[in-house]
Amino acid sequence: CIDKHEWPNKVGEKPAFMVTWTWAKDACERVGKRLCTGDEFTFACEGEQMLPYAYGLSRDKGRCNIDKPYVQPRFRLQPHDDCLKRPTCKAHMEELDQRDPIGAHPDCGSPFGALDINGNVNEWVEIPGKTAPWRSGLKGGWWGPSRSRCRPMVTAHNENYVGYEVGFRCCRDADGAG
């Protein structure tokens, strides 16, 4: 079972971003869940019809928070909570931020009801069988002009990567276990 929304899974709030894979993994575990695997994310996104986009066969920038202009970061950002403590980092984070509130795009849903699974924030997933620090992948795409499709996965970032476009959602087993 995959969360309907990005973390914190609360309609009206903006999704978490600028978090490491490790932070996301710990956050899911604190609420009795876990990070989704790449395969779980793909299936939840594309459904049984194996759609390239959660909502269908063709890219539609009007349905999801995608295809906004890319803004080049001027410097490497710190994780979200650390960045908020530094005025320069916080101001730059606010310049870069183009997230929309959770639930703002009700037509950006998958066949299984996962909303904003394409766009808004890239989402951390776990890659089973890999070892630290390369157990991490990013799926779904973000607000920028990127892939924003179900199947592709970025595997070039390790578990400590902090990107201004990176968030996550949680999964749990159907029996309710993590």
Side-chain angles (χ1 to χ4, degrees):
C1 298
I2 191 168
D3 282 351
K4 183 175 183 176
H5 304 287
E6 302 137 322
W7 183 270
N9 202 16
K10 296 178 182 171
V11 173
E13 291 188 25
K14 287 196 175 180
F17 76 138
M18 293 175 47
V19 297
T20 65
W21 180 89
T22 306
W23 192 95
K25 181 179 181 299
D26 291 345
C28 289
E29 289 172 357
R30 283 193 303 273
V31 296
K33 298 179 183 180
R34 58 179 169 74
L35 278 179
C36 305
T37 67
D39 288 344
E40 288 171 328
F41 187 99
T42 299
F43 187 59
C45 185
E46 66 187 19
E48 294 175 7
Q49 292 106 4
M50 299 173 66
L51 300 168
Y53 302 95
Y55 48 82
L57 297 171
S58 300
R59 188 177 184 91
D60 181 353
K61 70 179 187 175
R63 295 182 77 137
C64 301
N65 184 17
I66 59 172
D67 293 339
K68 290 183 177 175
Y70 176 72
V71 180
Q72 177 69 42
R74 292 190 316 270
F75 55 86
R76 188 176 179 136
L77 297 168
Q78 300 295 311
H80 182 269
D81 294 346
D82 295 336
C83 189
L84 289 177
K85 298 173 189 172
R86 296 177 173 88
T88 303
C89 188
K90 181 180 180 209
H92 190 41
M93 175 185 73
E94 291 168 356
E95 292 170 8
L96 297 169
D97 184 10
Q98 296 182 62
R99 296 168 299 155
D100 282 344
I102 293 169
H105 299 275
D107 292 333
C108 185
S110 78
F112 295 118
L115 297 179
D116 295 318
I117 200 162
N118 290 142
N120 218 21
V121 292
N122 258 330
E123 298 184 35
W124 283 121
V125 295
E126 182 165 357
I127 306 172
K130 297 287 185 177
T131 58
W134 300 103
R135 301 171 289 179
S136 55
L138 291 166
K139 292 194 62 77
W142 54 294
W143 65 76
S146 68
R147 66 198 183 292
S148 297
R149 294 189 336 219
C150 294
R151 195 160 286 252
M153 178 165 46
V154 173
T155 58
H157 303 300
N158 72 27
E159 298 164 18
N160 296 310
Y161 172 74
V162 176
Y164 71 89
E165 80 291 359
V166 177
F168 67 101
R169 75 179 69 217
C170 302
C171 278
R172 64 176 172 79
D173 295 340
D175 65 5

